[in-house]
Short mmCIF file of all heavy atoms in Angstrom, two decimals:
data_model
loop_
_atom_site.label_atom_id
_atom_site.label_comp_id
_atom_site.label_asym_id
_atom_site.label_seq_id
_atom_site.Cartn_x
_atom_site.Cartn_y
_atom_site.Cartn_z
N LYS A 318 110.40 83.91 106.19
CA LYS A 318 110.44 83.39 107.56
C LYS A 318 111.48 84.13 108.40
O LYS A 318 111.19 84.52 109.52
CB LYS A 318 110.81 81.88 107.48
CG LYS A 318 110.71 81.20 108.81
CD LYS A 318 110.84 79.73 108.66
CE LYS A 318 110.59 79.05 110.00
NZ LYS A 318 110.55 77.60 109.89
N LEU A 321 110.23 87.54 109.44
CA LEU A 321 109.25 87.42 110.51
C LEU A 321 109.92 87.10 111.82
O LEU A 321 109.61 87.73 112.86
CB LEU A 321 108.19 86.35 110.14
CG LEU A 321 107.23 86.77 109.00
CD1 LEU A 321 106.42 85.54 108.54
CD2 LEU A 321 106.30 87.90 109.41
N LEU A 325 109.83 90.01 114.68
CA LEU A 325 108.91 89.77 115.77
C LEU A 325 109.63 89.40 117.08
O LEU A 325 108.95 89.06 118.08
CB LEU A 325 107.91 88.67 115.42
CG LEU A 325 107.00 89.01 114.23
CD1 LEU A 325 106.06 87.86 113.87
CD2 LEU A 325 106.15 90.28 114.53
N LYS A 330 102.95 87.19 122.33
CA LYS A 330 102.01 86.60 121.39
C LYS A 330 100.66 87.33 121.34
O LYS A 330 100.04 87.34 120.24
CB LYS A 330 101.83 85.08 121.62
CG LYS A 330 101.32 84.69 122.97
CD LYS A 330 101.25 83.19 123.03
CE LYS A 330 100.62 82.90 124.35
NZ LYS A 330 100.66 81.82 125.04
N VAL A 333 101.35 90.02 118.87
CA VAL A 333 101.52 89.51 117.53
C VAL A 333 100.12 89.22 116.92
O VAL A 333 99.86 89.54 115.74
CB VAL A 333 102.38 88.23 117.50
CG1 VAL A 333 102.39 87.59 116.11
CG2 VAL A 333 103.82 88.58 117.91
N GLY A 334 99.23 88.68 117.76
CA GLY A 334 97.91 88.35 117.25
C GLY A 334 97.10 89.55 116.79
O GLY A 334 96.14 89.45 116.03
N ILE A 338 100.26 91.72 108.91
CA ILE A 338 101.45 91.47 108.11
C ILE A 338 101.05 91.74 106.68
O ILE A 338 99.99 91.30 106.23
CB ILE A 338 101.93 89.98 108.21
CG1 ILE A 338 102.13 89.52 109.68
CG2 ILE A 338 103.18 89.75 107.35
CD1 ILE A 338 103.35 90.03 110.37
N CYS A 361 100.78 83.71 101.56
CA CYS A 361 100.13 84.22 102.79
C CYS A 361 99.89 83.08 103.78
O CYS A 361 100.00 83.24 104.99
CB CYS A 361 98.79 84.97 102.45
SG CYS A 361 99.13 86.52 101.63
N ALA A 362 99.61 81.86 103.24
CA ALA A 362 99.46 80.69 104.12
C ALA A 362 100.82 80.39 104.78
O ALA A 362 100.89 80.00 105.94
CB ALA A 362 98.96 79.50 103.29
N HIS A 363 101.90 80.58 104.01
CA HIS A 363 103.23 80.38 104.57
C HIS A 363 103.48 81.38 105.72
O HIS A 363 104.01 81.00 106.74
CB HIS A 363 104.26 80.55 103.46
CG HIS A 363 105.66 80.58 103.96
ND1 HIS A 363 106.30 79.48 104.55
CD2 HIS A 363 106.58 81.58 103.98
CE1 HIS A 363 107.52 79.80 104.89
NE2 HIS A 363 107.73 81.08 104.57
N VAL A 364 103.10 82.62 105.50
CA VAL A 364 103.25 83.63 106.57
C VAL A 364 102.48 83.17 107.80
O VAL A 364 103.02 83.16 108.89
CB VAL A 364 102.70 85.02 106.10
CG1 VAL A 364 102.63 86.00 107.27
CG2 VAL A 364 103.61 85.58 105.04
N ARG A 365 101.26 82.71 107.63
CA ARG A 365 100.46 82.27 108.80
C ARG A 365 101.10 81.11 109.50
O ARG A 365 101.14 81.01 110.72
CB ARG A 365 99.02 81.92 108.35
CG ARG A 365 98.05 81.94 109.53
CD ARG A 365 96.60 81.75 109.11
NE ARG A 365 96.09 82.69 108.18
CZ ARG A 365 95.74 83.93 108.43
NH1 ARG A 365 95.87 84.42 109.66
NH2 ARG A 365 95.29 84.75 107.48
N ASN A 366 101.68 80.19 108.72
CA ASN A 366 102.39 79.05 109.27
C ASN A 366 103.62 79.47 110.07
O ASN A 366 103.86 78.93 111.16
CB ASN A 366 102.79 78.17 108.12
CG ASN A 366 102.56 76.75 108.46
OD1 ASN A 366 101.76 76.41 109.30
ND2 ASN A 366 103.32 75.85 107.82
N CYS A 367 104.33 80.48 109.59
CA CYS A 367 105.46 80.99 110.33
C CYS A 367 105.00 81.57 111.64
O CYS A 367 105.67 81.40 112.68
CB CYS A 367 106.19 82.10 109.51
SG CYS A 367 107.00 81.46 108.02
N ILE A 368 103.88 82.31 111.65
CA ILE A 368 103.35 82.92 112.87
C ILE A 368 102.99 81.80 113.87
O ILE A 368 103.24 81.91 115.06
CB ILE A 368 102.14 83.82 112.57
CG1 ILE A 368 102.52 84.97 111.62
CG2 ILE A 368 101.57 84.41 113.90
CD1 ILE A 368 103.60 85.90 112.10
N LEU A 369 102.43 80.72 113.32
CA LEU A 369 102.07 79.58 114.19
C LEU A 369 103.35 79.04 114.86
O LEU A 369 103.36 78.81 116.07
CB LEU A 369 101.46 78.46 113.30
CG LEU A 369 101.11 77.15 113.96
CD1 LEU A 369 99.95 77.33 115.01
CD2 LEU A 369 100.67 76.10 112.95
N GLU A 370 104.46 78.91 114.12
CA GLU A 370 105.69 78.45 114.69
C GLU A 370 106.31 79.43 115.65
O GLU A 370 106.86 79.07 116.67
CB GLU A 370 106.71 78.17 113.59
CG GLU A 370 106.47 76.85 112.83
CD GLU A 370 107.46 76.66 111.70
OE1 GLU A 370 108.61 77.12 111.83
OE2 GLU A 370 107.04 76.05 110.69
N ILE A 371 106.22 80.72 115.33
CA ILE A 371 106.90 81.72 116.14
C ILE A 371 106.07 82.04 117.39
O ILE A 371 106.64 82.15 118.50
CB ILE A 371 107.10 83.04 115.34
CG1 ILE A 371 108.02 82.79 114.13
CG2 ILE A 371 107.67 84.17 116.22
CD1 ILE A 371 108.00 83.90 113.06
N SER A 372 104.77 82.20 117.25
CA SER A 372 103.99 82.76 118.36
C SER A 372 102.84 81.81 118.83
O SER A 372 102.18 82.11 119.85
CB SER A 372 103.37 84.08 117.99
OG SER A 372 104.39 84.98 117.60
N GLY A 373 102.54 80.79 118.09
CA GLY A 373 101.48 79.83 118.50
C GLY A 373 100.18 79.98 117.77
O GLY A 373 100.03 80.85 116.89
N LYS A 374 99.22 79.12 118.10
CA LYS A 374 97.99 78.97 117.35
C LYS A 374 97.11 80.21 117.37
O LYS A 374 96.66 80.66 116.29
CB LYS A 374 97.23 77.77 117.95
CG LYS A 374 96.05 77.28 117.20
CD LYS A 374 95.63 75.91 117.68
CE LYS A 374 94.49 75.26 117.01
NZ LYS A 374 93.36 75.94 116.60
N SER A 375 96.85 80.72 118.54
CA SER A 375 95.87 81.81 118.62
C SER A 375 96.33 83.03 117.80
O SER A 375 95.53 83.54 116.98
CB SER A 375 95.64 82.08 120.14
OG SER A 375 94.99 83.29 120.23
N PRO A 376 97.57 83.55 117.95
CA PRO A 376 97.98 84.66 117.12
C PRO A 376 97.98 84.31 115.60
O PRO A 376 97.61 85.18 114.80
CB PRO A 376 99.41 84.97 117.57
CG PRO A 376 99.65 84.19 118.78
CD PRO A 376 98.58 83.16 118.95
N SER A 377 98.27 83.05 115.29
CA SER A 377 98.30 82.73 113.88
C SER A 377 96.89 82.75 113.28
O SER A 377 96.71 82.96 112.07
CB SER A 377 98.93 81.33 113.61
OG SER A 377 98.02 80.31 113.94
N GLU A 378 95.89 82.58 114.13
CA GLU A 378 94.50 82.59 113.62
C GLU A 378 93.93 84.01 113.60
O GLU A 378 93.07 84.32 112.78
CB GLU A 378 93.63 81.68 114.47
CG GLU A 378 93.89 80.23 114.18
CD GLU A 378 93.04 79.29 115.04
OE1 GLU A 378 92.39 79.75 116.00
OE2 GLU A 378 93.08 78.08 114.74
N SER A 379 94.43 84.89 114.51
CA SER A 379 93.82 86.20 114.55
C SER A 379 94.59 87.26 113.75
O SER A 379 94.04 88.29 113.37
CB SER A 379 93.67 86.67 116.01
OG SER A 379 94.95 86.77 116.62
N ILE A 380 95.85 87.03 113.47
CA ILE A 380 96.68 88.02 112.76
C ILE A 380 96.07 88.23 111.34
O ILE A 380 95.63 87.27 110.72
CB ILE A 380 98.16 87.56 112.66
CG1 ILE A 380 99.04 88.75 112.38
CG2 ILE A 380 98.36 86.42 111.70
CD1 ILE A 380 100.54 88.48 112.68
N ILE A 382 96.54 89.14 107.46
CA ILE A 382 97.61 89.10 106.45
C ILE A 382 97.08 89.78 105.17
O ILE A 382 96.11 89.30 104.58
CB ILE A 382 98.08 87.67 106.17
CG1 ILE A 382 98.55 87.00 107.49
CG2 ILE A 382 99.18 87.67 105.11
CD1 ILE A 382 98.88 85.52 107.37
#
Side-chain angles (χ1 to χ4, degrees):
K318 188 170 187 174
L321 290 169
L325 298 177
K330 57 182 187 203
V333 171
I338 307 285
C361 290
H363 171 66
V364 169
R365 199 174 303 285
N366 222 23
C367 293
I368 301 299
L369 176 68
E370 282 177 31
I371 298 166
S372 304
K374 190 166 182 318
S375 165
S377 77
E378 287 179 349
S379 61
I380 198 164
I382 303 173

